[in-house]
């Protein structure tokens, strides 16, 4: 047994006395005194280290009772929960107005530029005749040139160097082709060419014939791949004024596509837009000042400082735990008998969670400041960072509920069941992926929910949870008998396997862990070797015996020497 202790002088003197020539009886008496002194000192060192470990694993309230140490991290986390939630709500309202404004403008563009648009499902708007294609292209151009007389919104043309930006109509087509389905012959050059024309605002045409005569725009539908109409419009989001925010200026780069790549007689029409948000060049809002902006920036700065302080405190706690583990490991010859789970108890997972949350909050708050000052427009990235950070902050509240033994059953169950759950999910994922690939290849051409691989995974996951089962079965009735029969075998086997077997086993796995943890709590049985070692310390936090633990840090032996 290796023992590390500081008062070596007395022991060395006793050893020298034992080695000097003397009578046998005196030598035996000295040896017994030296052995008793060594054992007593070793027991004291082990007890001091046990008390140090118990203090390390105390909650903030117990540490305050033991040493009068104020729970700064606890108070800081409570403050963070409040200010981060307020910050997220404030940004969420602003982000919601921005997204709603973009979506409503996209719907406006569809109604303005698509002839006869009636809120069709996305991807269902299509044309089937040549005259319809020409009429729609003419309708788009005529609407664009007369936009100021038609729209009820604050839309305007883009100007560059004092000139309006032109609308462009581009067609893509095969270079040469000779197709004769009647004779079952074709000759095609797959090289794609592109031809574009430009239409400036304030030009008007009486009908499609006048348009075609003016621009000489002819479509060869046998070679045609697609027609794209590109235009740029500007507007201002004025609704933010009611929420004491400075309105933003928007550039909408709109692209209307006529897709004929399939050459199936159905030309799909779709409208997409790309948005650029920036600060307006000259603005004035009567009755307002920059005070609200300064308050928001100050509040975001407070959030960053609070998270930075929390990051430093939690990082220090994690480093202290790792150092305590390494000190024990360096001073022990038997560390290899302790399980990995016991070693990981020195690293507080809640502190890791808080560190990640603080990092995301600092990054998100910095982006939010950039958005408020109009230097950045990354609303989506900012919302992801702040949303994830707020979620982690609220999940961290469970840690403080865990200080009460009746509330920490969820934490203990999740932590104990996590390794088995991961192994179980890895095995189930192999079966799940097999069904995904099979459904995608076989049912994809016949069923909308199996059209792409990501849709297959979403559909099967919904089926596991009992959602939309009948509709999935119903859509396969109009296909061939062989595909219909295979779909029945596929769906019945998947639902039976995953709902009645895999899902039941998954629930049973967690339930078994819960029962084990509950039994340990009722019987007060330590669940790990480390906890069993610490439980031998009977000193209460109010006993006052934790005040001198820091002085004995240099004479610690590893608890692993005493676990067995």
């Amino acid at each position: 047994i290796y023992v590390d202790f500081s008062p070596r002088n007395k022991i060395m003197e006793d050893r020298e006395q034992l080695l000097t020539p003397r009578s046998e009886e005196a030598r035996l008496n000295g040896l017994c005194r030296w052995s008793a002194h060594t054992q007593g000192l070793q027991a004291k060192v082990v007890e001091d280290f046990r008390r140090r470990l118990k203090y390390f694993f105390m909650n903030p309230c117990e540490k305050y009772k033991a040493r009068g140490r104020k729970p700064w991290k606890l108070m800081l986390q409570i403050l963070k929960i409040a200010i981060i939630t307020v910050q997220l709500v404030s940004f969420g309202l602003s982000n919601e107005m921005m997204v709603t404004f973009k979506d409503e403008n996209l719907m406006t563009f569809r109604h303005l530029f698509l002839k006869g648009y009636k809120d069709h499902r996305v991807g269902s708007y299509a044309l089937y005749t040549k005259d319809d294609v020409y009429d729609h292209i003419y309708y788009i151009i005529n609407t664009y040139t007369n936009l100021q007389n038609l729209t009820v919104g604050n839309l305007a043309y883009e100007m560059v160097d004092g000139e309006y930006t032109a609308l462009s109509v581009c067609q893509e087509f095969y270079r040469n082709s000779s197709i004769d389905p009647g004779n079952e012959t074709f000759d095609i050059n797959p090289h794609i060419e592109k031809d574009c024309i430009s239409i400036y605002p304030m030009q008007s045409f009486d009908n499609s014939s006048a348009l075609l005569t003016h621009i000489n725009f002819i479509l060869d539908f046998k070679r045609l791949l697609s027609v794209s109409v590109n235009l740029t419009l500007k507007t201002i989001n004025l609704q933010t004024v009611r929420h004491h925010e400075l309105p933003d200026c928007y550039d909408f780069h709109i692209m209307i596509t006529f897709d004929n790549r399939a050459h199936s007689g159905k030309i799909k029409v779709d409208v997409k837009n790309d948005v650029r948000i920036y600060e307006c060049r000259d603005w004035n809002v009567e009755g307002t000042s920059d005070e609200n902006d300064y308050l928001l920036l100050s509040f975001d700065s407070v959030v960053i400082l609070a998270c930075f302080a929390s990051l430093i405190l939690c990082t220090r706690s994690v480093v202290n735990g790792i150092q305590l583990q390494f000190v024990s490991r360096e001073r022990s010859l038997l560390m290899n008998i302790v399980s990995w789970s016991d070693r990981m108890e020195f690293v507080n997972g809640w502190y890791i969670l808080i560190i990640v949350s603080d990092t995301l909050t600092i990054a998100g708050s910095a982006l939010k400041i950039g958005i408020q000052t109009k230097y950045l427009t990354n609303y989506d990235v900012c919302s992801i960072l702040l949303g994830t950070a707020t979620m982690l902050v609220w999940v961290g509240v469970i840690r403080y509920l865990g200080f009460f033994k009746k509330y920490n059953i969820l934490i203990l169950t999740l932590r104990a069941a996590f390794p088995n759950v991961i192994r179980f999910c890895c095995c189930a994922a192999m079966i799940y992926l097999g069904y995904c690939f099979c459904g995608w290849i076989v049912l994809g051409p016949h069923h909308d929910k199996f059209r792409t691989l990501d849709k297959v995974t979403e559909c099967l996951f919904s089926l596991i949870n009992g959602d939309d089962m009948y509709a999935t079965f119903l859509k396969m009735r109009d296909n061939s008998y062989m595909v219909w029969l295979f779909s029945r075998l596929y769906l019945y086997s998947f639902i039976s396997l995953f709902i009645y077997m895999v899902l039941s086993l998954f629930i049973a796995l967690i339930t078994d862990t819960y029962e084990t943890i509950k039994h340990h709590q009722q019987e007060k049985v330590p669940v790990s070797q480390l906890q069993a070692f610490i439980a031998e310390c009977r000193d209460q936090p109010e006993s006052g015996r934790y005040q001198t633990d820091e002085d004995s840090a240099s004479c610690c032996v590893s608890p692993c020497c005493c676990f067995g």
Side-chain angles (χ1 to χ4, degrees), residues 348-460:
N348 195 322
W350 293 110
Y351 290 151
I352 303 297
L353 183 72
I354 294 173
I355 290 174
V356 174
S357 173
D358 291 336
T359 304
L360 295 178
T361 304
I362 292 172
S365 299
L367 277 178
K368 184 173 181 291
I369 292 176
I371 292 173
Q372 289 175 349
T373 55
K374 310 305 178 184
Y375 288 105
L376 299 173
T377 58
N378 299 344
Y379 278 89
D380 293 337
V381 177
C382 184
S383 62
I384 292 174
L385 293 176
L386 293 181
T388 305
T390 307
M391 179 188 68
L392 296 179
V393 167
W394 279 97
V395 170
V397 175
I398 301 177
R399 173 177 182 256
Y400 306 113
L401 295 178
F403 296 158
F404 308 96
K405 294 184 178 180
K406 293 184 178 180
Y407 290 92
N408 67 344
I409 187 68
L410 174 63
I411 304 172
L412 297 177
T413 302
L414 291 177
R415 184 171 62 181
F418 184 75
N420 293 330
V421 167
I422 293 299
R423 287 189 286 267
F424 182 85
C425 289
C426 290
C427 297
M430 301 299 104
I431 306 175
Y432 187 82
L433 288 176
Y435 271 91
C436 287
F437 285 110
C438 179
W440 176 38
I441 295 300
V442 180
L443 303 181
H446 308 280
H447 201 298
D448 291 339
K449 294 184 178 180
F450 294 85
R451 193 74 68 191
T452 59
L453 189 59
D454 59 329
K455 288 184 177 181
V456 177
T457 57
E458 295 169 0
C459 177
L460 294 184

Side-chain angles (χ1 to χ4, degrees), residues 409 412-418 420-421 508-519:
I409 187 68
L412 297 177
T413 302
L414 291 177
R415 184 171 62 181
F418 184 75
N420 293 330
V421 167
L509 183 66
I510 299 178
T511 304
D512 181 67
T513 305
Y514 170 78
E515 293 296 334
T516 303
I517 297 297
K518 186 177 180 181
H519 170 72

Side-chain angles (χ1 to χ4, degrees), residues 132-273:
D132 285 341
V133 176
Y134 281 116
D135 287 344
H136 276 72
I137 295 176
Y138 163 73
Y139 183 83
I140 294 171
I141 296 174
N142 192 44
T143 301
Y144 176 73
T145 56
N146 296 279
L147 183 65
Q148 299 297 332
N149 299 325
L150 297 175
T151 181
V152 296
N154 295 319
L155 295 175
Y157 303 114
E158 183 186 40
M159 296 187 66
V160 178
D161 297 330
E163 296 183 357
Y164 289 113
T165 302
L167 174 147
S168 64
V169 182
C170 299
Q171 60 170 318
E172 292 182 349
F173 49 89
Y174 293 122
R175 174 176 293 177
N176 294 309
S177 67
S178 175
I179 302 173
D180 189 354
N183 294 328
E184 301 177 356
T185 61
F186 66 90
D187 181 14
I188 190 170
N189 185 344
H191 182 77
I192 298 175
E193 294 185 344
K194 187 175 183 179
D195 183 24
C196 296
I197 62 171
S198 298
I199 305 294
Y200 288 89
M202 308 307 176
Q203 292 179 262
S204 62
F205 306 94
D206 296 332
N207 50 49
S208 57
S209 300
L211 171 64
L212 295 177
T213 303
H214 179 78
I215 62 177
N216 192 24
F217 187 71
I218 304 299
L219 300 176
D220 185 356
F221 288 93
K222 291 186 177 181
R223 295 191 296 156
L224 181 66
L225 292 174
S226 66
V227 177
S228 61
V229 182
N230 299 276
L231 56 107
T232 301
L233 296 175
K234 302 168 73 70
T235 187
I236 300 175
N237 186 5
L238 296 177
Q239 64 177 331
T240 58
V241 174
R242 295 182 290 106
H243 299 274
H244 307 288
E245 292 186 20
L246 183 66
D248 293 321
C249 285
Y250 287 69
D251 282 354
F252 287 99
H253 302 279
I254 306 163
M255 183 174 67
I256 305 172
T257 305
F258 298 79
D259 188 2
N260 190 41
R261 297 180 184 276
H263 287 88
S264 61
K266 177 182 179 180
I267 297 181
K268 301 177 183 178
V269 184
D270 191 20
V271 179
K272 297 180 180 179
N273 67 337

Side-chain angles (χ1 to χ4, degrees), residues 53-96:
L53 286 177
K54 185 174 183 179
Y55 177 80
F56 177 79
F57 289 103
M58 285 181 181
N59 62 54
C61 298
E62 292 175 340
K63 288 183 178 180
Y64 178 74
K65 295 178 182 179
R67 292 185 180 177
R69 175 182 172 183
K70 294 181 176 59
W72 296 112
K73 286 195 294 292
L74 174 60
M75 293 186 288
L76 188 58
Q77 300 310 314
I78 296 175
L79 175 64
K80 275 176 47 187
I81 291 174
I83 60 178
I84 290 178
T85 303
V86 172
Q87 181 193 45
L88 181 71
V89 171
S90 173
F91 178 77
L93 295 175
S94 177
N95 189 37
E96 181 183 4

